[in-house]
Amino acid sequence: MTITTPKLTFEEYLKYDDRTDTRYELVTGELIPMSLVPQGGSQKSLILSGLVLSAAVGAASRREVLP
């Protein structure tokens, strides 16, 4: 016997509260618990964001248009 859980809509996801500190992401209608431990990707994305911002500010100060 297979038990299926109903898929959530985005509106239902926004209203969902299980009264815990667990954070979830919605993937194809299913709630997936998010990891509380950084996986290394967040640090890499912060570095990349900083580089992009630096390039944009530098280009703006030189009045260049980024492609």
Side-chain angles (χ1 to χ4, degrees):
M1 181 162 101
T2 304
I3 298 174
T4 59
T5 57
K7 303 283 184 180
L8 293 177
T9 64
F10 183 68
E11 290 79 20
E12 292 169 328
Y13 165 71
L14 292 176
K15 293 177 186 175
Y16 182 78
D17 181 14
D18 63 356
R19 298 189 176 158
T20 67
D21 289 337
T22 305
R23 297 182 70 183
Y24 296 93
E25 57 184 325
L26 185 66
V27 179
T28 61
E30 297 180 24
L31 291 177
I32 308 296
M34 295 176 66
S35 173
L36 299 177
V37 179
Q39 300 293 321
S42 58
Q43 183 179 6
K44 292 174 188 173
S45 65
L46 283 174
I47 292 170
L48 182 60
S49 296
L51 292 172
V52 170
L53 181 60
S54 294
V57 168
S61 67
R62 294 185 304 271
R63 291 185 166 72
E64 296 177 15
V65 177
L66 292 177

